[in-house]
Amino acid sequence: MSLEDAAAADDGRDLASYDFDGDVVGRIQSCEGPAPASNDPGPCTPPPEAAYRYREAHRRYSLGLLADAALPSSDRLWHATDTLAAGWLTAAQGLLAACLAHLPVLLGAALGTPPHAGVRDHLPQVRHVAVTSSDLLPSLAKLALFRLDRFFAGRDVLSSRVHGKLECFARLRDRFPGSAAFVAIGDGREEEAAAAALGWPFIKVSLGRCTLGRAEKGGVPLTSLTVMEIAGALGI
């Protein structure tokens, strides 16, 4: 499930004065319900009333309104969460920013593009995509609350709850054809198996430690995972 799936049911109605509280979406089963039968033909589509909510959530997410405007105490919440997670949010922000800054240069050098001024626009692009087993709307809210939304465009957040992570990964492969290279990072067996099925390198992480490949022990602490280790998984 992605925002693109929701958009398929959106008729483009002007939502400026739309009464979200008064429509019938609460009495209609949306896409993010129980998993469909195995012979389901493809991504399910929510009703228009639900699609309006996805569009409004996407608008707020893109403007950074899911956290700051709705929760004046978001600063305290973020710092408390980061403390409880032993600095995971700070580390995640730093790693994602470093990937955007340095991986294009490393990839460009591997492809023979020298890292001098004026060639940045011609370097390979790096894109972060989140595939989550949670529902789509709560996942967008969580990324916003964790202040990771600036690293993940709304259309690059996918929920695997209905069809599983292998199908989500396959859709990403089809979205970025040609010379695109992928690295999957996660802490679950499902994403590890999905990455293996598509031949993608996988970096297994946990709350305490990070292991490269399939090794269950050793490696580096999660908060110390570096761009160079991700580049190494890409073979550069």
Side-chain angles (χ1 to χ4, degrees), residues 139-160:
S139 297
L140 292 172
K142 182 168 65 175
L143 286 171
L145 289 171
F146 288 175
R147 298 182 179 174
L148 300 177
D149 48 325
R150 64 190 175 100
F151 300 107
F152 297 92
R155 69 184 299 268
D156 291 335
V157 181
L158 285 74
S159 169
S160 65

Side-chain angles (χ1 to χ4, degrees), residues 6-94:
D10 194 330
D11 57 14
R13 177 174 177 172
D14 184 358
L15 302 180
S17 59
Y18 184 76
D19 182 9
F20 285 100
D21 293 331
D23 67 14
V24 297
V25 71
R27 299 193 297 273
I28 302 176
Q29 182 179 2
S30 72
C31 178
E32 294 182 337
S38 59
N39 61 351
D40 186 271
C44 56
T45 302
E49 292 85 357
Y52 300 156
R53 282 163 169 75
Y54 286 109
R55 183 178 7 136
E56 177 63 12
H58 188 201
R59 183 187 72 83
R60 296 190 184 194
Y61 179 86
S62 299
L63 294 174
L65 300 178
L66 284 184
D68 295 339
L71 294 173
S73 60
S74 61
D75 276 344
R76 294 198 306 273
L77 178 61
W78 187 91
H79 286 292
T81 304
D82 194 42
T83 299
L84 288 172
W88 186 91
L89 299 184
T90 297
Q93 288 181 343

Side-chain angles (χ1 to χ4, degrees), residues 130-136 139 142 157-161 165 168:
V131 178
T132 171
S133 56
S134 300
D135 288 341
L136 183 57
S139 297
K142 182 168 65 175
V157 181
L158 285 74
S159 169
S160 65
R161 179 178 176 186
K165 292 186 177 176
C168 288

Side-chain angles (χ1 to χ4, degrees), residues 212-229:
L212 303 182
R214 294 180 175 274
E216 292 295 332
K217 297 181 180 180
V220 297
L222 172 61
T223 52
S224 299
L225 181 61
T226 67
V227 173
M228 294 308 299
E229 287 163 329

